[in-house]
């Protein structure tokens, strides 16, 4: 449905609104530069605590500099993870060895790239744009809105497609010194501007080399163990229990799954700024849309 302005606007109102929108891009540029500065690799970086709240399962910290995790020291106390003899915990330390793979947060790399693309849109609009060409200004604002929205969604991290599927994007073993224990997945991502760590201990689905006894075969074929027969099936300890994943070319199941997170003040500031910028661009788009007499679409809402 088309939107009409009443009473009728002066003939030059569209040009004046377009010129005003073009001038406002200078303020948007400042906001985008502030976001870029918050994601820039500056020492000493942000040190974030990654510890489980009501247990001793996970205790430690990581240090983020820009889009990379440059330091990390985490102690694990997991019942499903075999620790070194004589110690109740397993220690994970990020390697500082030259040539070791870097632990890069791909979501933050994408956010940084999208912010740079937004700055390019602003520069093209302000330096080469015709302040009297409302269609051009509207198109540039629409592109800017889409780019900022995508950056905000990256920080929101609402899906596996954004965060990365853990069975495909877990940290490499040699990122740590000593290397990660076998069948341990270490997956870092961003969700709601927080750094989120998922630790999973895995179990291969390959058949054991030990032949089962007749009694064990009977139990496995029925699908129930003695406890289940007496007391009923137990509650699933986590939401991936029983699911099969292909991890490093091997089918595995998740034995234990732990999630810890740490709010990152810099990322929270970036999210707040991107949300404000997105809202500001949307206001200019709505104003120009009314003056241009274009129809409302769901994509612009």
């Amino acid at each position: 449905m088309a939107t009409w302005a009443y009473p009728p606007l002066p003939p030059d109102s569209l040009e004046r609104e377009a010129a005003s929108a073009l001038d406002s891009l200078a303020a948007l540029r400042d906001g985008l530069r502030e976001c870029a500065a918050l994601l820039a690799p500056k020492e000493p970086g942000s040190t974030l605590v990654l510890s489980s709240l009501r247990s001793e399962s996970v205790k430690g910290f990581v240090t983020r500099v820009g889009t990379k995790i440059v330091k990390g020291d985490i102690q694990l106390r997991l019942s499903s993870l075999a620790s070194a003899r004589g110690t109740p915990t397993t220690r994970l330390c990020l390697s500082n060895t030259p040539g070791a793979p870097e632990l890069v947060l791909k979501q933050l790399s994408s956010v940084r790239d999208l912010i740079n693309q937004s700055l390019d849109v602003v520069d093209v609009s302000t330096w080469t744009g015709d302040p009297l060409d409302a269609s051009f200004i509207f198109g540039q604002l629409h592109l800017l809105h889409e780019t900022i929205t995508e950056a905000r969604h990256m920080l929101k991290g609402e899906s596996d497609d954004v965060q990365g599927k853990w069975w495909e994007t877990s940290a490499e073993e040699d990122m740590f010194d000593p290397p990660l224990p076998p069948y341990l997945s270490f997956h870092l991502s961003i969700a709601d501007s927080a750094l989120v760590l998922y630790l999973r201990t895995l179990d291969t689905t390959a058949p054991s080399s030990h032949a089962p006894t007749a009694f064990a075969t009977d139990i496995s074929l029925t699908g129930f163990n003695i406890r289940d027969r007496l007391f009923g099936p137990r509650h699933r300890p986590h939401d991936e229990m029983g699911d099969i994943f292909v991890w490093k070319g091997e089918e595995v199941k998740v034995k234990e799954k732990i999630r810890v997170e740490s709010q990152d003040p810099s990322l929270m500031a970036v999210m707040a700024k991107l949300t404000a910028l997105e809202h500001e661009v949307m206001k200019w788009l709505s104003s120009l849309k009314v003056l241009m007499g274009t129809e409302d679409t769901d994509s612009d809402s």
Side-chain angles (χ1 to χ4, degrees):
M1 181 178 67
T3 304
W4 300 90
Y6 185 85
L9 298 170
D12 63 342
S13 59
L14 179 57
E15 288 78 7
R16 287 192 286 107
E17 189 74 10
S20 180
L22 189 62
D23 292 339
S24 71
L25 290 177
L28 297 180
R29 181 192 289 114
D30 292 339
L32 289 168
R33 285 175 174 170
E34 291 173 1
C35 292
L38 287 168
L39 293 176
K42 296 179 181 178
E43 296 289 351
S46 301
T47 298
L48 307 170
V49 175
L50 286 173
S51 298
S52 48
L53 296 178
R54 291 179 290 274
S55 71
E56 298 291 326
S57 299
V58 183
K59 296 291 181 183
F61 73 91
V62 294
T63 300
R64 179 185 64 81
V65 175
T67 61
K68 302 175 183 177
I69 302 297
V70 298
K71 294 180 183 178
D73 191 342
I74 299 174
Q75 299 277 355
L76 305 182
R77 190 189 295 264
L78 305 179
S79 59
S80 59
L81 182 63
S83 57
R85 181 174 299 178
T87 61
T89 61
T90 300
R91 186 179 183 185
L92 307 180
C93 292
L94 204 62
S95 176
N96 293 321
T97 304
E102 295 180 324
L103 183 49
V104 179
L105 298 171
K106 294 184 178 180
Q107 283 173 260
L108 293 188
S109 296
S110 297
V111 173
R112 180 197 58 195
D113 293 343
L114 289 165
I115 290 173
N116 289 334
Q117 291 175 29
S118 298
L119 285 168
D120 290 341
V121 172
V122 171
D123 288 340
V124 169
S125 304
T126 53
W127 293 109
T128 66
D130 182 356
L132 301 181
D133 188 347
S135 296
F136 172 78
I137 301 302
F138 182 86
Q140 292 299 100
L141 285 173
H142 186 73
L143 176 60
L144 182 61
H145 182 265
E146 288 185 336
T147 308
I148 292 175
T149 299
E150 186 177 353
R152 188 177 62 81
H153 286 168
M154 278 289 171
L155 277 181
K156 189 71 174 175
E158 294 179 325
S159 67
D160 285 342
D161 292 334
V162 174
Q163 295 182 341
K165 298 178 176 63
W166 69 263
W167 57 93
E168 296 176 350
T169 58
S170 292
E172 300 176 30
E173 295 177 1
D174 49 358
M175 289 179 176
F176 297 83
D177 186 17
L180 288 176
Y183 295 104
L184 174 65
S185 166
F186 183 103
H187 185 255
L188 274 176
S189 62
I190 305 296
D192 291 324
S193 306
L195 188 66
V196 178
L197 170 63
Y198 275 104
L199 292 160
R200 294 173 173 88
T201 56
L202 310 174
D203 195 11
T204 179
T205 61
S208 172
S209 58
H210 300 287
T213 64
F215 179 68
T217 303
D218 175 68
I219 293 176
S220 63
L221 289 176
T222 60
F224 295 93
N225 58 27
I226 293 177
R227 184 191 183 284
D228 292 340
R229 291 176 176 178
L230 294 176
F231 304 106
R234 290 173 288 186
H235 294 294
R236 288 160 57 98
H238 57 79
D239 60 342
E240 295 174 340
M241 190 68 182
D243 296 340
I244 297 177
F245 303 91
V246 178
W247 183 72
K248 298 184 178 180
E250 184 178 1
E251 288 189 349
V252 296
K253 292 183 179 181
V254 180
K255 291 194 294 185
E256 190 173 1
K257 176 181 176 181
I258 302 292
R259 180 188 189 276
V260 293
E261 70 172 60
S262 182
Q263 294 293 331
D264 189 320
S266 295
L267 299 187
M268 294 172 67
V270 173
M271 174 66 89
K273 291 179 183 296
L274 289 176
T275 301
L277 291 169
E278 182 186 29
H279 180 69
E280 187 68 19
V281 175
M282 193 66 231
K283 285 198 307 182
W284 286 110
L285 282 172
S286 299
S287 298
L288 286 176
K289 189 188 303 181
V290 171
L291 294 174
M292 294 171 67
T294 57
E295 294 185 352
D296 293 330
T297 61
D298 292 338
S299 61
D300 295 329
S301 60

